[in-house]
Amino acid sequence: MENILQGLNESQLEAVTSTEGFIRVIAGAGSGKTRALARRFAYLVNEVGILPGNILCVTFTNKSANEMRQRIHNLTGDNDTGYISTFHSFCVSVLQEDSHALQYPKSFLVLDNADIDSMLKLIYEERGLTLRNMTFSKARDMIEIRKIFKEPEYYLDMLNMSLDTLRQKYLAATEPADMIFYGYLYQEKKCFGLDYNDLIKFTLYIFIKNKWQQRLEYIMIDEFQDIDELQYKLMSVLCAYHKNLFIVGDPDQTIYTWRGANVRYLLDFDKVFPGVKTIMMMQNYRSTPQIVAVVNDLIDKNKFRIKKELIATLADGKQVVCHHAANSEAEALWLAEHIQALHSQGISYRDIAVLYRAHYVTR
């Protein structure tokens, strides 16, 4: 097993060994936050003596969770790595253990877009709707907006109404949006299916009892700048008992505002929770000083942020080139010529990456 504290810089060491209370880490790009999170989990287990099953570590993708789980296993040597998962995967674990509180079977279905589209097809056929009324994509968006913003208590219908009563509510609907929404709730209950919003809503419903709050002594959340309202509520309930919450984020890297993420939860963390300790992780291990300088200059223009400046640790590299093309076609031509020039110098095409903001531009 590795030495948990070996090779950490000063800010990483502070993050790993600060175990109690409310802690906010502002981690710049390439500053080793995944390393710090994994080491902190291992430190809690090996040095503080906390059981892995009493720790929750939330990441935003399954890939990140798997990587974190492997790193922690290498550090602790223990196959039990507690709850290292996305918000939704954690909610599935809670609901499977406490499904009796919802009168749902442990084998409930977690619905994906294909499942939802199959349900929509049944509703459209039964109520004589067509894609001219609403496309499936728009219907899914409409359902999500109603569940989160317009009818946040919708889950009580799913829990408290009988299947027949819910079906009658669906059949009584006259507007296409109502037909689709209540028909979808009926179809969900009929097959014991839950979508991503339901997972968090139903979990919050279960958390009226404090079993889970007592069990999870330490909570760590990655990418906190991308947390949304439901996830924030879930986190607030979970940490209310032990009051040990460790969050990592960067307000300059928020990318999910279009689906409800609110960077204010990170920026105002110290105004909401008592005695917050803020740690700045600014050493960048990923990019050359030239790239870091450009990044610092650009992100300094952001309005809603915590003042910070990345510190480069790599050796000097080439100057950053900014090319402003007249249109996307001219941009593509310039890039192709630039790539061809690099290739003629002996650089493999596989060593060149081109990143775009939109899929259609890549064509």
Side-chain angles (χ1 to χ4, degrees):
M1 289 188 295
E2 301 175 42
N3 183 329
I4 293 169
L5 303 181
Q6 186 176 359
L8 297 176
N9 65 37
E10 188 176 337
S11 57
Q12 290 172 339
L13 182 64
E14 185 179 10
V16 168
T17 57
S18 298
T19 59
E20 309 305 307
F22 297 99
I23 301 160
R24 173 177 62 179
V25 176
I26 304 299
S31 61
K33 65 181 178 66
T34 304
R35 187 185 200 205
L37 276 164
R39 298 288 182 98
R40 187 175 189 270
F41 192 112
Y43 184 83
L44 286 169
V45 173
N46 289 7
E47 304 299 327
V48 183
I50 305 300
L51 291 172
N54 296 131
I55 303 171
L56 169 64
C57 181
V58 177
T59 68
F60 266 76
T61 66
N62 288 318
K63 182 180 177 183
S64 297
N66 291 333
E67 181 187 346
M68 188 79 69
R69 204 174 289 116
Q70 186 58 51
R71 287 195 187 202
I72 290 167
H73 170 70
N74 292 340
L75 288 164
T76 64
D78 195 336
N79 287 326
D80 181 4
T81 49
Y83 297 97
I84 303 171
S85 61
T86 63
F87 274 108
H88 296 112
S89 295
F90 170 68
C91 289
V92 169
S93 298
V94 172
L95 295 175
Q96 284 177 336
E97 183 169 323
D98 287 336
S99 59
H100 60 277
L102 307 170
Q103 296 182 321
Y104 267 59
K106 288 185 184 294
S107 56
F108 63 84
L109 301 175
V110 179
L111 305 173
D112 58 20
N113 281 348
D115 298 319
I116 296 171
D117 285 351
S118 296
M119 291 179 173
L120 291 173
K121 188 177 179 183
L122 291 172
I123 296 163
Y124 279 45
E125 288 175 355
E126 186 170 32
R127 298 304 307 268
L129 299 173
T130 71
L131 295 180
R132 289 186 178 182
N133 295 109
M134 196 179 298
T135 65
F136 283 2
S137 176
K138 287 184 178 178
R140 290 197 304 269
D141 290 343
M142 179 273 293
I143 290 166
E144 184 167 19
I145 288 168
R146 284 181 74 151
K147 282 188 171 186
I148 296 174
F149 301 112
K150 294 184 178 179
E151 298 181 45
E153 303 296 312
Y154 75 90
Y155 66 96
L156 295 176
D157 283 357
M158 293 175 69
L159 289 171
N160 298 331
M161 284 186 177
S162 69
L163 193 60
D164 286 342
T165 304
L166 191 54
R167 177 167 173 78
Q168 289 307 312
K169 188 170 184 176
Y170 152 55
L171 293 175
T174 56
E175 294 296 321
D178 291 337
M179 295 179 195
I180 293 166
F181 183 67
Y182 294 115
Y184 175 66
L185 296 188
Y186 165 70
Q187 290 293 338
E188 279 193 290
K189 187 176 178 76
K190 185 178 177 183
C191 70
F192 295 112
L194 300 175
D195 63 27
Y196 281 172
N197 291 302
D198 303 328
L199 291 174
I200 296 182
K201 282 283 191 179
F202 280 38
T203 301
L204 278 166
Y205 177 81
I206 283 177
F207 282 171
I208 294 170
K209 301 175 183 179
N210 67 2
K211 169 181 120 179
W212 285 92
Q213 291 94 318
Q214 290 184 26
R215 177 185 297 181
L216 300 172
E217 297 179 47
Y218 292 88
I219 297 165
M220 300 190 286
I221 302 178
D222 192 11
E223 307 289 5
F224 200 79
Q225 73 276 358
D226 290 324
I227 202 168
D228 63 29
E229 184 181 0
L230 272 182
Q231 293 163 344
Y232 184 79
K233 284 181 180 177
L234 184 66
M235 172 219 73
S236 299
V237 171
L238 276 174
C239 72
Y241 187 83
H242 290 288
K243 297 179 170 51
N244 290 321
L245 176 62
F246 179 90
I247 65 165
V248 181
D250 182 358
D252 294 317
Q253 293 189 63
T254 185
I255 58 173
Y256 288 121
T257 51
W258 56 274
R259 73 176 190 199
N262 190 340
V263 73
R264 282 291 179 190
Y265 293 133
L266 175 61
L267 295 175
D268 297 338
F269 189 76
D270 57 333
K271 299 181 182 71
V272 176
F273 296 94
V276 171
K277 179 179 184 178
T278 297
I279 300 168
M280 307 293 285
M281 283 174 46
M282 294 298 107
Q283 286 181 269
N284 177 283
Y285 295 95
R286 187 182 298 159
S287 304
T288 62
Q290 286 79 5
I291 293 173
V292 170
V294 171
V295 167
N296 281 333
D297 190 54
L298 281 172
I299 63 177
D300 191 49
K301 309 294 189 296
N302 289 348
K303 292 180 180 178
F304 303 112
R305 67 189 304 261
I306 293 171
K307 186 71 176 176
K308 63 181 176 63
E309 188 157 317
L310 295 174
I311 302 164
T313 60
L314 297 185
D316 273 356
K318 294 182 179 179
Q319 288 299 318
V320 175
V321 176
C322 178
H323 177 75
H324 192 153
N327 51 50
S328 58
E329 200 168 311
E331 179 187 273
L333 181 62
W334 182 85
L335 275 170
E337 290 172 348
H338 196 61
I339 290 169
Q340 192 172 29
L342 289 170
H343 185 65
S344 67
Q345 296 169 22
I347 296 174
S348 168
Y349 287 129
R350 294 183 65 84
D351 291 332
I352 300 169
V354 182
L355 307 179
Y356 285 103
R357 290 291 292 176
H359 288 305
Y360 78 92
V361 183
T362 63
R363 293 195 290 271

